[in-house]
């Protein structure tokens, strides 16, 4: 969803803010290791990437089904059984593809979720055609090169490569290629959870749409693992009034009531709260920092967190957002004429809600904070529809970090990006993990794609990916999948 800015490396993601804290602390080494990818695999990976980029999968005019069917054919050509390739969805344009790679069944399956849709891209905004795969100056250009056809192609290539090698995992590997993560009304993960839970049931979910390696001037600064997410919520504040002539003002004024409510919000701080992921995040930072900040991190992790330390760290917007639900005024409109008392005053308040709290719970809390009986507070959904009451939807509090997964990522990161710390993060946006988490399958954003923190182009113009990052990301996933399925 464009509004909730789900995807990796967007400014809305907490992870990108880490770099300032880590750049001095991380003991970085030159990024010299060479990707272990043979020529045949390299060619296959490139071909699939090109094919996916050149299939337009935008919600407006594109077709996710075309991309799903292209991948289905790739798997058939590679010898996958038709019965292990499920193609389905709510309508002709939004077909999802679920691929099952059979293992021995010793362990419960792992599910990988990969959205095939991309955000809109106008030819006139771009230097090149966004739906042409272009190789230039060490980069691949095209809509989806960062978000996330790179990892779609990597997952498809990895399964085909493993099959060609005759690899037998100790668990089923399931990959769901899906529709409408970025927008649209047919979210594929949601649809699969509701209609084909049996096809995608797993011990845990890996979502390559989150996490990844942050680079600064070519140096790996951190390997981020998105282990939980905040929930996105919009609320509409409305005050109505009979109005009147501005030469005869009265105290009962729509604009003043609304302004009073917003000022109360301005001075309100939602309660301090940590979960398994943010606790691990701050613990990690406390070992990387040596200054008084390390003391502050330790002070908020204590059984009785120190309010002074919380206040000090909250001055940093990213850390503030990690510790609190945040709600902020983002739009305002009121009045009809310069010489008339306002009949209507409205504002939008945008919230990023910590796991464990529902949209309706926050609406009720806002009403209390505003303490203004004239202000009505309604919920606004992603389509802009307004409701008197908000849904009870919430992000479930994250379970403890999955040690098998974290340890595999630690080992691979030490090998491929030596010196870069592995940091569990909480994304401030929402990805498709919201559906699998809600279905009780713990979900983690994991990616081997390395991008310069100042070259984030997901959703933007001239989206591009360093060619070297693509093949290293491919190598990363190949090794990760094997490590998690008894093969290494
Ligand atoms: Zn994405």
């Amino acid at each position: 969803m464009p509004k909730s800015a789900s995807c990796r490396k967007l400014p809305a993601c907490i992870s990108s803010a880490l770099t300032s804290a880590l750049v001095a602390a991380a003991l970085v080494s030159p990024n010299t290791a060479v990707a272990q990818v043979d020529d045949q695999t390299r060619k296959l990976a490139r071909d699939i990437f090109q094919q996916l980029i050149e299939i337009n999968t935008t919600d407006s005019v594109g077709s996710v089904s075309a991309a799903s069917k292209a991948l289905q054919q790739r798997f058939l050509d590679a010898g996958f059984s038709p019965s292990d390739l499920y193609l389905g969805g709510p309508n002709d344009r939004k077909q999802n593809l679920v691929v099952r790679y059979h293992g021995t069944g010793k362990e419960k399956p792992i599910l990988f979720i990969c959205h095939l849709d991309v955000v809109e891209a106008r030819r006139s905004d771009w230097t090149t055609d966004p739906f042409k795969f272009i190789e230039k100056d060490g980069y691949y250009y095209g809509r989806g090169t960062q978000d996330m056809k790179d990892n779609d192609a990597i997952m498809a290539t990895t399964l085909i490569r493993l099959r060609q090698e005759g690899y037998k995992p100790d668990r089923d590997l399931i990959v769901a290629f899906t529709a409408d993560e970025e927008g649209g009304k047919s979210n594929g993960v949601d649809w699969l959870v509701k209609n084909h839970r049996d096809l995608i049931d797993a011990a845990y979910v890996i979502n390559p749409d989150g996490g990844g390696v942050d680079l600064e001037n070519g140096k790996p600064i951190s390997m981020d693992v998105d282990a939980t997410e905040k929930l996105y919520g919009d609320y509409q504040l409305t005050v109505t009034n009979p109005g009147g002539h501005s030469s005869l003002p009265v105290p009962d004024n729509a604009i003043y009531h609304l302004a009073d409510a917003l000022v109360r919000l301005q001075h309100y701080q939602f309660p301090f709260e940590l979960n398994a992921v943010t606790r691990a995040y701050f613990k990690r930072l406390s070992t990387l920092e040596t200054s008084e900040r390390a003391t502050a991190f330790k002070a908020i992790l204590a059984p009785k967190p120190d309010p002074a330390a919380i206040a000090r760290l909250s001055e940093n917007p990213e850390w503030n957002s990690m510790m609190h639900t945040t709600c902020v005024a983002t739009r305002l409109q009121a009045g009809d004429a310069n010489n008339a008392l306002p009949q209507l005053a409205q504002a939008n308040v945008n919230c990023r809600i910590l796991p464990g709290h529902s949209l309706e719970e926050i609406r009720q809390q806002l009403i209390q904070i505003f303490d203004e009986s004239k202000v009505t507070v309604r919920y606004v959904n992603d389509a802009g529809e307004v409701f008197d009451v908000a849904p009870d939807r919430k992000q479930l509090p994250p379970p403890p970090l999955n040690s098998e997964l974290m340890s595999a990522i630690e080992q691979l990161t030490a090998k491929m990006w030596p010196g870069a710390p592995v940091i569990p993060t909480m994304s401030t946006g929402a990805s498709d993990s919201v559906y699998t988490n809600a279905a009780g399958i713990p979900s983690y954003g994991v990616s081997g794609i390395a991008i310069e923190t100042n070259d984030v182009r997901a959703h933007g113009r001239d989206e591009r990916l360093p060619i070297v990052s693509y093949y290293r990301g491919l190598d990363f996933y190949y090794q990760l999948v094997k490590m998690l399925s008894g093969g290494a």
Side-chain angles (χ1 to χ4, degrees):
M1 302 168 211
K3 273 204 301 187
S4 33
S6 63
C7 300
R8 103 183 272 283
K9 306 299 173 192
L10 290 179
C13 290
I14 268 306
S15 56
S16 60
L18 271 171
T19 49
S20 59
L22 296 179
V23 70
L27 299 166
V28 290
S29 313
N31 187 2
T32 49
V34 179
Q36 307 287 308
V37 179
D38 61 272
D39 287 349
Q40 189 195 345
T41 304
R42 213 178 145 93
K43 180 174 183 321
L44 178 68
R46 191 192 184 285
D47 288 351
I48 296 177
F49 198 9
Q50 170 162 13
Q51 186 177 25
L52 289 178
I53 293 291
E54 296 188 349
I55 297 172
N56 184 331
T57 52
T58 57
D59 185 43
S60 59
V61 297
S63 168
V64 167
S65 303
S68 285
K69 285 175 186 164
L71 287 177
Q72 184 185 36
Q73 192 58 51
R74 291 266 177 194
F75 288 115
L76 287 171
D77 292 347
F80 282 72
S81 159
S83 61
D84 291 331
L85 302 168
Y86 170 81
L87 186 77
N91 63 60
D92 284 352
R93 281 206 308 139
K94 308 286 184 177
Q95 302 277 300
N96 310 285
L97 178 70
V98 181
V99 187
R100 182 174 292 257
Y101 189 120
H102 288 280
T104 62
K106 182 164 166 269
E107 304 287 339
K108 230 185 144 184
I110 303 175
L111 170 67
F112 300 83
I113 52 175
C114 299
H115 71 80
L116 286 171
D117 61 313
V118 292
V119 294
E120 306 293 330
R122 275 207 304 267
R123 176 67 187 90
S124 54
D125 292 342
W126 281 52
T127 309
T128 58
D129 183 342
F131 299 102
K132 273 265 170 313
F133 186 73
I134 288 166
E135 188 175 332
K136 203 174 77 179
D137 307 328
Y139 292 89
Y140 290 136
Y141 283 82
R143 171 57 88 223
T145 46
Q146 284 191 8
D147 182 14
M148 62 167 285
K149 285 178 169 170
D150 50 348
N151 274 313
D152 295 338
I154 282 172
M155 285 314 304
T157 305
T158 299
L159 286 197
I160 292 171
R161 181 182 181 187
L162 290 172
R163 187 179 164 91
Q164 285 166 347
E165 291 173 0
Y167 176 65
K168 191 77 176 170
D170 66 3
R171 63 206 311 172
D172 285 8
L173 305 168
I174 309 165
V175 185
F177 297 97
T178 62
D180 283 8
E181 192 275 342
E182 305 287 5
K185 295 194 169 119
S186 310
N187 183 280
V189 178
D190 187 29
W191 189 85
L192 286 167
V193 165
K194 285 182 178 141
N195 296 284
H196 292 280
R197 172 69 194 249
D198 54 314
L199 273 181
I200 57 160
D201 202 33
Y204 56 91
V205 167
I206 296 180
N207 180 358
D209 200 20
V213 178
D214 286 338
L215 298 178
E216 288 209 340
N217 302 316
K219 288 182 177 176
I221 301 302
S222 66
M223 162 60 95
D224 304 325
V225 179
D226 282 354
T228 187
E229 301 174 339
K230 285 181 118 178
L231 182 65
Y232 179 105
D234 279 316
Y235 299 88
Q236 182 191 67
L237 281 56
T238 305
V239 187
T240 54
N241 190 279
H245 202 283
S246 64
S247 63
L248 299 169
V250 292
D252 182 17
N253 178 300
I255 290 178
Y256 294 154
H257 290 307
L258 184 66
D260 284 347
L262 292 176
V263 167
R264 285 190 197 105
L265 178 64
Q266 179 193 1
H267 296 293
Y268 181 79
Q269 174 78 289
F270 280 81
F272 166 81
E273 200 178 307
L274 296 181
N275 55 47
V277 173
T278 51
R279 193 165 275 285
Y281 167 88
F282 284 117
K283 205 169 168 194
R284 192 75 225 241
L285 286 199
S286 75
T287 64
L288 294 169
E289 294 264 350
T290 49
S291 60
E292 59 186 87
R293 267 212 297 236
T295 317
F297 289 132
K298 287 186 180 112
I300 66 164
L301 292 165
K304 276 195 86 172
D306 175 19
I310 295 168
R312 198 155 61 247
L313 293 177
S314 295
E315 288 168 15
N316 175 307
E318 287 80 15
W319 294 332
N320 179 54
S321 175
M322 294 287 264
M323 298 185 286
H324 306 98
T325 289
T326 62
C327 290
V328 62
T330 52
R331 299 178 91 164
L332 188 60
Q333 65 178 74
D336 309 292
N338 288 349
N339 59 359
L341 298 173
Q343 295 182 40
L344 178 72
Q346 271 186 330
N348 186 78
V349 165
N350 178 248
C351 297
R352 305 300 175 125
I353 303 165
L354 286 175
H357 303 281
S358 74
L359 290 161
E360 175 59 13
E361 182 186 335
I362 297 302
R363 193 185 73 88
Q364 295 289 348
Q365 238 169 311
L366 286 173
I367 292 169
Q368 285 186 11
I369 295 160
F370 297 146
D371 192 24
E372 246 316 330
S373 58
K374 304 273 179 174
V375 178
T376 57
V377 183
R378 296 188 181 90
Y379 171 73
V380 186
N381 72 7
D382 285 345
E385 298 161 324
V386 182
F387 300 87
D388 287 342
V389 175
D392 284 324
R393 190 152 45 88
K394 62 173 105 162
Q395 276 283 0
L396 294 178
L401 288 166
N402 180 311
S403 57
E404 157 190 295
L405 176 63
M406 291 307 286
S407 135
I409 296 170
E410 293 270 2
Q411 287 176 53
L412 269 180
T413 304
K415 201 159 71 173
M416 295 183 70
W417 297 280
V422 176
I423 313 275
T425 58
M426 177 171 67
S427 165
T428 51
S431 76
D432 278 344
S433 297
V434 71
Y435 301 107
T436 43
N437 271 323
I441 316 176
S443 307
Y444 305 92
V446 181
S447 171
I449 296 291
I451 295 179
E452 291 285 334
T453 54
N454 65 3
D455 199 35
V456 175
R457 300 189 181 195
H459 298 205
R461 65 188 288 276
D462 294 344
E463 188 177 344
R464 67 178 186 178
L465 184 71
I467 293 172
V468 64
S469 289
Y470 180 60
Y471 295 104
R472 286 177 60 82
L474 178 67
D475 188 28
F476 171 86
Y477 252 103
Y478 172 76
Q479 296 195 53
L480 181 69
V481 168
K482 279 188 133 177
M483 288 171 86
L484 297 174
S485 59

